[in-house]
Amino acid sequence: MPTRDGEVAAGGSRRAGTGRRGWRRSKLSRDVVFSAALELIDRDGIENLSMRGLGQALGRDPMTIYKYTPNKAAILDGVTEVMLSQLAPSNGNKPGDWREELRKIARQFREIALAHPNAVALIVTRPLSSPLARRPPGTLRPLEYILELLAGAGISGRDALFVYRSLFGFLVGHILNELQEVVDEPEEDDDLLRLGLQNLPLREFPRLRSLASALISYDGAAELERGLDLLITGLSTQLTTKPKKK
């Protein structure tokens, strides 16, 4: 799926054999059910996901789906796991410097979100819908990965939690900003008119109206990197690391 920066986001291309007809040829499993649900959410939105529609997409009686998941809430949890499972910063290799690993995680998180804009609400809010110990394991793996990464760098567990919360707090805010609609009248040439800012009273919003060109030229990838520079530099000055035991 092309992003606003002209990139092709990770996860944006369909898996071979998926799609309305492809799912019908798949052997049913939890992974297949959740992946099909994600595809439906991508197309129709979370609010339009139903057991009946999912059954039709899979070419199965909707009742069959209950063998793999008890209800819609569990499907939404599963979809969240499917998306977060795409976070693989080191791709099975030995992790590098913790700062660069955090950058990789941030970039991948953004790519996943831009590939599945209709499902972003799930990775933002779904893990918070239950106590930590009751959350699906897949939603906790990014946290465990970061804790292990930072422990290996000699950073305390308490500080590691702070890093995790700071990183994902920044990422969620960035993604929500990037996904919001910015163009009101695409056919207009003037930046102010394209954004519809001419409708705001000049006396009340002079500074916002003056930033029309900056708003229209928003570069999500570049702003992510700039924010990460500030965040990671700040964290580096705050954290104390213990030397590794030989």
Side-chain angles (χ1 to χ4, degrees), residues 83-98:
M83 287 190 290
L84 290 177
S85 70
Q86 297 174 42
L87 284 175
S90 57
N91 292 314
N93 300 317
K94 185 178 180 180
D97 179 76
W98 66 269

Side-chain angles (χ1 to χ4, degrees), residues 100-122:
E100 186 54 38
E101 289 297 301
L102 293 186
R103 289 181 181 277
K104 291 178 183 177
I105 291 170
R107 293 165 188 152
Q108 289 180 355
F109 186 87
R110 174 178 176 267
E111 290 173 349
I112 292 165
L114 295 183
H116 306 287
N118 284 344
V120 164
L122 295 180

